Amino acid sequence: MTTTSATLNKKARWPIFIALLLLAASVIYPFFFLITSSLRPKLDYLENPLGLPGEWTFDNFIALWTRYGAGQGFMNSLFVVVTAVAIELVLATLAGYALAKYPVPGSKFITASFVSVMLIPSQVLILPIYLMLSQFRLVGDFSGLILVYVATGLPFSVFFLSVTFRSIPNEVLEAAKLDGAGFFRTLWSVVSPMGVAGIATLAVLQFLGKWNELLFAVILLPDNSKRLLTPALAQIGDKFLNEQPLVSAGLLLTASVPLLLLAVASQYIMRGLAVGVSR
Amino acid sequence: MTSVSSTPLVAGAAEAAPAAGGPRKPGALNRRGRIIGLAAVLPALVVVLGFMIYPVLFALFISFNNSNGRSFKWVGLDNYVRILTDPLVHGVFLTNLKFLISVPLVIFVSIIVSVLLFERVRGWKFFRFIYFLPNVLSAVVIGIMFKQIFGYYGVVNEIVAALGGERIQFFTTGNLAIAVIITALVWSGFGYQSLLLLSGLTSIDPAVFEAAALDGAGWWKRLWYITLPNIRRVLGFVFIINVLYTFTSLFGFIYVMTAGGPGYDTTTVDYLVFLKAFDTGNKGPGAALAVLLFLFIGLLTVLQNKVFRVSEED
């Protein structure tokens, strides 16, 4: 298809362009507002909330990072999410490759159960998982939450990667085998490089999902010292709602990582979301 | 294993070439392959069994008991009876139904946006990117943002005040708070969904449009009789994910925006599951409610599959 469709005449294009522009402005404006209000002192904000700052400052971010626990939360989030995504990718790559290319006994049943557990909403899991983890004394410990994040992400990851790896031609794998490469060697130097786009897509999607997760993070890490960023922000937003500049800084800090990811990996994110439709 | 590619029968080579996909053909190494394959699937399988399937069964078990989480006393279906006859649960379910207003709204906006983007006006890729932005943010970020915007000293009230109006308390009335949350849902959801619809539009055969244009059908006529019917499968999908979303994913919004209040006026089913799991001594009824929610979602998904089958056949 060419870049322009022949369905509308030229004159009709201007109103459409303007409508789309207005809509884009309504999406962008809140971000613009957050940026300007986070960069000014509270008094300056109260004088003229809708205008531009009369005085620019980074104090809100500094206070937020050091005194309101957001710095600690940011680091905690980064640690938990990166660890969970890494473990999940390793397990999902192993399982996805085996399901795609090996005669795993009961593979139809295994795939079907992975697909059907994707439906389980986290509300159903939260009480039993809390009780289980508290029995192992893992509530309030990063490892408990990491385990839960790995488990809840795996069904989709395995499904996604088995679809990705299935498109690798069998001849390539046979060739690797003739060269004497075993399971791990083939997986590491043939399958992973060929499926790298799929793996990257999955990594980005899973990172976003876990970074933004609230329910498990609130319940499984109740101590303030171990709080992740998203629940920490929820707390700050609740306690200091009238400190708009501070809360704006918190919102921007929490949103910064997903937005940065979108900026550098938008093609992966869009690709991954398209898979969601076909399943 | 024999080399597959060394014996092509020239004429039918293209057809005979092994299709990429599916397990390798059975051979002498099959047994070894099965063991390696199973060993590779096992870690993921164990984690999912232990932390997804077992917990669901555990939740099911708790729902048939009176329990404080440690000791269990079998009470059969009592908890289900209690949940299904609880006026609070009825009220919360009705509140959830109010949130369904967001479904036609967001679909309406998404259709308009996707149809306009489909016209490929200047900068449509840029617009697509912008509309998609809210989709990577968490419900917490979006929720607090909207709580600020609609707060007593927020942007909306500043404009109202500047125009000489009374400042509005959006979060002290249940229905107003719901309206704000619905606005947040539409704002954050339309981008992704118009992308889904756009991919549906792109897969329509352009010849169909050309034929209709030759027949003298105007833009509106084509929209109504050709464009929309051709994407009804994607529309059905978008409809169902929105409905599922209203029953399972409002937790973050409610948690940061209203905490279910005033009273229980903005409490949704998924938020009530959370409250019941951690606020009361007896975990049984909460587990029963969670199981019911799960069943309801399963039912909707089965329904979705049925609807899709039907529309694929015709």
Side-chain angles (χ1 to χ4, degrees):
Chain A
M1 193 161 192
T2 50
T3 45
T4 55
S5 86
T7 48
L8 263 190
N9 57 23
K10 278 237 161 67
K11 260 187 202 158
R13 290 175 166 267
W14 275 106
I16 292 179
F17 181 77
I18 288 166
L20 289 175
L21 200 64
L22 283 177
L23 196 61
S26 83
V27 174
I28 287 290
Y29 180 75
F31 291 99
F32 173 77
F33 177 76
L34 286 185
I35 293 171
T36 53
S37 62
S38 70
L39 291 172
R40 59 203 295 197
K42 191 185 173 192
L43 280 179
D44 183 65
Y45 171 85
L46 287 179
E47 268 171 28
N48 180 13
L50 298 183
L52 285 173
E55 189 189 338
W56 298 80
T57 170
F58 267 111
D59 286 355
N60 297 311
F61 284 96
I62 295 166
L64 183 82
W65 186 273
T66 54
R67 280 193 282 125
Y68 291 85
Q72 188 64 48
F74 190 92
M75 292 305 175
N76 291 344
S77 270
L78 216 53
F79 169 71
V80 167
V81 172
V82 169
T83 313
V85 171
I87 296 174
E88 185 186 329
L89 285 185
V90 170
L91 298 188
T93 307
L94 285 172
Y97 174 48
L99 286 175
K101 296 295 181 186
Y102 274 79
V104 179
S107 65
K108 274 218 176 104
F109 177 74
I110 294 174
T111 310
S113 44
F114 275 142
V115 170
S116 51
V117 296
M118 276 189 235
L119 287 177
I120 302 174
S122 40
Q123 281 82 5
V124 178
L125 298 173
I126 187 67
L127 175 63
I129 280 187
Y130 178 83
L131 294 176
M132 283 163 64
L133 289 181
S134 61
Q135 208 154 46
F136 301 133
R137 302 194 181 286
L138 287 179
V139 172
D141 195 290
F142 287 140
S143 55
L145 185 61
I146 290 173
L147 210 56
V148 171
Y149 278 173
V150 171
T152 48
L154 266 177
F156 176 73
S157 300
V158 172
F159 167 78
F160 183 92
L161 285 185
S162 74
V163 172
T164 305
F165 293 153
R166 210 163 284 156
S167 64
I168 295 176
N170 284 336
E171 293 88 331
V172 179
L173 302 177
E174 297 299 338
K177 198 166 210 177
L178 288 179
D179 287 345
F183 177 86
F184 285 108
R185 179 118 192 94
T186 313
L187 185 55
W188 180 252
S189 37
V190 180
V191 175
S192 303
M194 289 184 79
V196 73
I199 296 175
T201 301
L202 185 64
V204 173
L205 288 184
Q206 293 294 329
F207 185 97
L208 284 176
K210 294 176 188 1
W211 184 268
N212 290 338
E213 205 278 334
L214 177 68
L215 182 58
F216 286 119
V218 163
I219 283 158
L220 298 180
L221 293 175
D223 308 340
N224 271 333
S225 63
K226 290 194 172 157
R227 215 168 265 293
L228 302 194
L229 188 57
T230 300
L233 176 73
Q235 213 177 26
I236 292 169
D238 189 40
K239 275 191 194 154
F240 306 102
L241 189 71
N242 289 324
E243 308 273 333
Q244 279 92 348
L246 184 80
V247 174
S248 296
L251 290 169
L252 276 181
L253 179 71
T254 315
S256 63
V257 174
L259 289 177
L260 206 71
L261 263 184
L262 180 63
V264 297
S266 63
Q267 82 269 30
Y268 291 128
I269 294 177
M270 308 263 180
R271 239 181 65 123
L273 293 172
V275 176
V277 196
S278 55
R279 95 171 131 94
Chain B
M1 190 163 271
T2 52
S3 147
V4 178
S5 51
S6 63
T7 52
L9 294 167
V10 182
E15 280 149 341
R24 296 172 193 192
K25 65 180 184 180
L29 294 173
N30 215 332
R31 214 174 92 84
R32 212 174 112 77
R34 284 166 153 226
I35 292 170
I36 295 177
L38 194 60
V41 175
L42 212 55
L45 198 59
V46 168
V47 173
V48 170
L49 277 175
F51 285 87
M52 292 200 77
I53 293 173
Y54 174 73
V56 170
L57 298 177
F58 191 19
L60 197 63
F61 174 72
I62 298 170
S63 74
F64 292 117
N65 285 274
N66 275 340
S67 167
N68 57 3
R70 259 164 269 116
S71 59
F72 300 90
K73 185 172 164 288
W74 188 267
V75 293
L77 287 172
D78 271 14
N79 290 325
Y80 288 92
V81 174
R82 266 170 75 181
I83 285 294
L84 289 173
T85 55
D86 186 347
L88 175 61
V89 174
H90 299 164
V92 165
F93 190 74
L94 285 180
T95 305
N96 232 138
L97 293 183
K98 287 185 193 166
F99 279 99
L100 284 179
I101 296 170
S102 68
V103 178
L105 284 180
V106 76
I107 290 181
F108 181 70
V109 176
S110 305
I111 289 177
I112 294 179
V113 170
S114 65
V115 168
L116 294 186
L117 283 175
F118 189 56
E119 295 297 336
R120 302 282 193 264
V121 291
R122 185 170 299 135
W124 70 276
K125 280 190 170 163
F126 170 75
F127 288 129
R128 197 181 58 168
F129 179 78
I130 296 291
Y131 299 156
F132 188 74
L133 278 183
N135 210 71
V136 299
L137 303 180
S138 64
V140 171
V141 169
I142 297 165
I144 296 178
M145 203 150 102
F146 272 76
K147 195 175 180 186
Q148 276 206 323
I149 292 173
F150 287 90
Y152 197 72
Y153 292 106
V155 175
V156 171
N157 269 325
E158 290 298 335
I159 294 172
V160 168
L163 296 177
E166 279 288 301
R167 286 178 189 267
I168 305 162
Q169 300 255 28
F170 283 100
F171 296 100
T172 52
T173 326
N175 284 339
L176 273 184
I178 290 175
V180 173
I181 299 173
I182 287 176
T183 312
L185 286 174
V186 175
W187 182 83
S188 59
F190 83 89
Y192 170 51
Q193 294 177 27
S194 48
L195 284 196
L196 293 182
L197 295 180
L198 186 62
S199 72
L201 290 175
T202 321
S203 63
I204 301 176
D205 185 355
V208 177
F209 289 112
E210 281 155 28
L214 283 180
D215 286 350
W219 191 83
W220 290 105
K221 249 193 168 157
R222 270 176 283 160
L223 177 67
W224 189 250
Y225 291 107
I226 297 172
T227 315
L228 293 183
N230 265 300
I231 55 166
R232 67 186 178 286
R233 196 166 161 269
V234 190
L235 276 173
F237 175 78
V238 168
F239 177 76
I240 292 286
I241 57 167
N242 273 308
V243 173
L244 288 180
Y245 195 84
T246 17
F247 282 99
T248 59
S249 308
L250 293 180
F251 173 78
F253 289 101
I254 310 288
Y255 186 85
V256 297
M257 291 173 84
T258 64
Y264 283 97
D265 286 358
T266 58
T267 303
T268 53
V269 176
D270 61 341
Y271 195 75
L272 188 64
V273 172
F274 162 77
L275 289 181
K276 283 206 177 285
F278 295 96
D279 276 8
T280 60
N282 184 5
K283 312 285 187 197
L289 182 62
V291 170
L292 287 174
L293 177 66
F294 185 30
L295 287 179
F296 183 67
I297 289 163
L299 201 73
L300 279 181
T301 313
V302 170
L303 209 70
Q304 167 205 353
N305 285 337
K306 279 259 162 64
V307 172
F308 278 0
R309 292 278 145 68
V310 170
S311 53
E312 265 168 341
E313 276 162 13
D314 60 21

